[in-house]
Amino acid sequence: MASVAQAHGYPHTETANPHWVPPPGKEALAHIPGEEGVPFLGTTLKVIADPIGFGRHMFEKYGSVYRTRSFGKHNVTLLGADATELVMFNKDKIFSSEQGWGPVLNNLFPRGLMLMDFDRHRADRKALSVAFKPGPMKHHCKVLNEGIAERVAEWSETSFQFYPAIKSLSLDTAASAILGIPWGPEADKINKAFVDEVQASIGVVRSPLPFTKMRRGVKAREYLLSYFTPQVKARREKGGDDIFTQICLATHEDGALLTEGEVVDHMNFLMMAAHDTITSSATSLVYLLAKHPEWQDKLREECLSVAPAGQPLAYEDLGKLELTEMAFKEALRLIPPVPSIPRRAIKEFTFRNYTIPAGTSIGVSPQFVHKMEKHWPDPDKFDPMRFTPENSVGRHKYAWVPFGGGAHMCLGLHFAYMQIKILMHAMLTQNRVVLSGGPDYEPDWQVFPIPQPRDGLPVRLEKL
């Protein structure tokens, strides 16, 4: 296999992407308040160590528009629902997702859907959407019911760390529903590869130099591509309802199949997105339900009204689990799986009296807007009733953005809702979830790259 440098050419760099709008110089951002941080590292270590605390400090000191220097570049953060709408809805095509995520993810997930813009993004998104239409989704529902029920039965009457357990389960269900294969001995290697890729995304060293997180992430990508590539032709000949096969069969508007490289790159990205975000958000929901057992009772009653304990959920019945969906939305509000979202301005623009030049790295913060009291009274309280239709009236559309927004709204959000509803039905109709650390236990959350409790969230499932 070619060396890392030969195979990948450091595709995250500016020189490797001459079509990117070049970043402005430091002086072009000097009028924006903020901090440079320490030499070389800037504010990177502060962001990694306590992103929520650092963001709060910057907001209190500088307001809703501020400048930092982290991960090797200058960044401007825009806070608030209006800022999030400006960037995510992107009405005037000012912001590039490719150029925002590219410096962070291009070594790992190049040409993933999130790293595309405008017409190219629209075309590939439309092609990939075939995998999430009702026919395939009914297949996914059946596979998820079977896999989740089997694993939850193993958890019952045991104490265990929920985060690694749901991580393992989500990988197994991804293997079945997304890849369409019975999972076997390669599970640990696949799992480690995805972990290495995601961890590399926030490595301080951005090039795949020896002994770095980025090097491990790039080598993991090489392994995953070697795993996916040989299967594309076979899937096209065989057919099937799983997401991988559906993407192998997907076509562009002119009727041409996606190229083998496009299929493999999309699969690498989709597996990461489906695996790690659902692991994080399921853990958040289980923690909050264990912390608030009265909501376990409410969800249990709803789940039993739809299907008996121990029985699968029909695809047609998923929409009936309204309280369960609201509880999931509230968990995503309190602990969003993607705490911040990067973009790059490809045109000069003005926001809140600041003129921001083309080429500037822009960030918006779901974790900030999700806690703004103007949108969410008593914002730290777990209250799924915030999402009833009557309580949602008048709320800013971009005050809740765990799945992003605009053209880049998460393609798999309905798959996520389905997986969570099936998991909650399987767990709650037969068990009570109890925090092993007691009712006063509070996990220490690692926020980046994706939120997770550092101790794995020790819980016990007590049989009803």
Side-chain angles (χ1 to χ4, degrees):
M1 182 171 289
S3 71
V4 172
Q6 290 171 329
H8 296 269
Y10 299 165
H12 68 295
T13 63
E14 302 294 326
T15 54
N17 295 278
H19 63 291
W20 288 1
V21 179
K26 173 183 173 181
E27 62 284 351
L29 300 175
H31 63 291
I32 299 172
E35 297 180 5
E36 286 290 304
V38 300
F40 182 65
L41 292 175
T43 57
T44 302
L45 297 182
K46 289 184 178 180
V47 172
I48 292 174
D50 183 11
I52 295 175
F54 178 73
R56 189 180 301 116
H57 157 76
M58 295 298 287
F59 171 70
E60 291 172 354
K61 188 171 182 178
Y62 301 109
S64 57
V65 180
Y66 63 81
R67 166 183 49 82
T68 57
R69 184 172 63 86
S70 57
F71 297 104
K73 63 183 186 300
H74 286 90
N75 308 274
V76 172
T77 298
L78 309 178
L79 297 177
D82 288 343
T84 306
E85 180 175 25
L86 172 72
V87 174
M88 302 304 299
F89 188 58
N90 203 14
K91 176 170 66 80
D92 297 320
K93 296 186 176 180
I94 296 171
F95 305 100
S96 166
S97 185
E98 176 197 346
Q99 297 179 43
W101 284 110
V104 182
L105 297 180
N106 251 12
N107 276 332
L108 308 163
F109 307 104
R111 297 171 297 280
L113 195 61
M114 194 168 71
L115 282 79
M116 291 182 170
D117 288 320
F118 312 127
D119 290 345
R120 175 70 190 281
H121 171 263
R122 181 191 61 78
D124 275 37
R125 183 184 177 93
K126 184 175 181 180
L128 297 180
S129 67
V130 66
F132 299 96
K133 292 188 180 299
M137 286 289 279
K138 289 180 181 179
H139 164 78
H140 309 335
C141 185
K142 180 177 182 295
V143 170
L144 291 172
N145 267 297
E146 293 171 355
I148 289 173
E150 180 180 335
R151 190 64 58 88
V152 170
E154 296 174 5
W155 295 344
S156 186
E157 294 291 357
T158 66
S159 297
F160 61 102
Q161 292 181 323
F162 186 79
Y163 185 86
I166 191 63
K167 191 176 183 70
S168 173
L169 172 57
S170 67
L171 184 68
D172 286 350
T173 54
S176 300
I178 298 180
L179 295 181
I181 60 174
W183 214 240
E186 286 210 298
D188 289 343
K189 195 170 182 181
I190 291 282
N191 191 17
K192 184 178 185 306
F194 284 121
V195 169
D196 285 348
E197 282 189 308
V198 173
Q199 288 298 322
S201 68
I202 61 158
V204 175
V205 179
R206 305 311 302 158
S207 295
L209 302 174
F211 310 112
T212 62
K213 287 183 178 180
M214 185 59 74
R215 170 80 176 204
R216 290 194 295 272
V218 168
K219 296 301 289 185
R221 170 178 161 76
E222 290 176 357
Y223 164 71
L224 290 168
L225 265 58
S226 71
Y227 177 83
F228 287 128
T229 301
Q231 299 189 40
V232 176
K233 182 179 179 181
R235 296 302 183 99
R236 287 173 171 166
E237 293 173 351
K238 181 181 177 183
D241 290 321
D242 60 89
I243 290 176
F244 186 14
T245 302
Q246 289 291 305
I247 291 175
C248 289
L249 297 171
T251 60
H252 290 297
E253 291 180 337
D254 62 1
L257 290 165
L258 272 65
T259 68
E260 186 178 87
E262 287 174 329
V263 170
V264 170
D265 282 329
H266 282 309
M267 282 305 304
N268 184 45
F269 174 75
L270 287 174
M271 280 289 287
M272 179 279 294
H275 173 53
D276 277 286
T277 54
I278 202 68
T279 296
S280 175
S281 53
T283 302
S284 304
L285 177 57
V286 165
Y287 160 66
L288 290 164
L289 291 176
K291 195 77 174 173
H292 302 278
E294 71 278 9
W295 273 99
Q296 286 191 58
D297 296 339
K298 292 175 183 179
L299 267 56
R300 181 179 298 112
E301 181 179 356
E302 179 184 69
C303 286
L304 288 170
S305 73
V306 173
Q311 296 298 308
L313 275 174
Y315 176 74
E316 293 76 15
D317 289 336
L318 292 171
K320 298 175 183 177
L321 295 176
E322 295 177 352
L323 275 181
T324 304
E325 183 166 320
M326 288 191 289
F328 183 42
K329 287 181 174 179
E330 178 70 340
L332 291 170
R333 182 188 71 82
L334 286 166
I335 310 173
V338 182
S340 62
I341 299 173
R343 293 288 189 268
R344 181 177 295 192
I346 55 177
K347 304 175 186 176
E348 180 182 279
F349 70 102
T350 300
F351 182 72
R352 294 186 185 156
N353 298 320
Y354 291 103
T355 298
I356 300 173
T360 302
S361 294
I362 301 294
V364 294
S365 175
Q367 68 184 6
F368 181 89
V369 77
H370 285 187
K371 297 286 187 73
M372 293 181 70
E373 290 193 46
K374 65 184 291 187
H375 307 301
W376 312 102
D378 197 3
D380 292 319
K381 180 183 178 182
F382 177 69
D383 180 13
M385 297 307 288
R386 301 177 194 273
F387 291 93
T388 63
E390 54 270 28
N391 288 337
S392 299
V393 170
R395 183 180 299 138
H396 198 296
K397 185 178 180 182
Y398 283 79
W400 185 80
V401 286
F403 294 108
H408 281 87
M409 177 77 77
C410 175
L411 184 62
L413 67 91
H414 295 298
F415 184 80
Y417 281 128
M418 179 168 67
Q419 190 164 347
I420 288 294
K421 289 176 179 180
I422 293 170
L423 176 66
M424 290 299 101
H425 187 276
M427 287 181 64
L428 298 180
T429 57
Q430 302 178 80
N431 304 278
R432 181 179 294 105
V433 186
V434 179
L435 294 170
S436 298
D440 296 327
Y441 159 81
E442 297 285 346
D444 177 20
W445 290 89
Q446 172 187 310
V447 178
F448 283 128
I450 290 177
Q452 67 181 83
R454 296 184 193 277
D455 63 359
L457 191 69
V459 300
R460 179 174 178 80
L461 289 196
E462 298 180 350
K463 194 80 172 175
L464 292 173

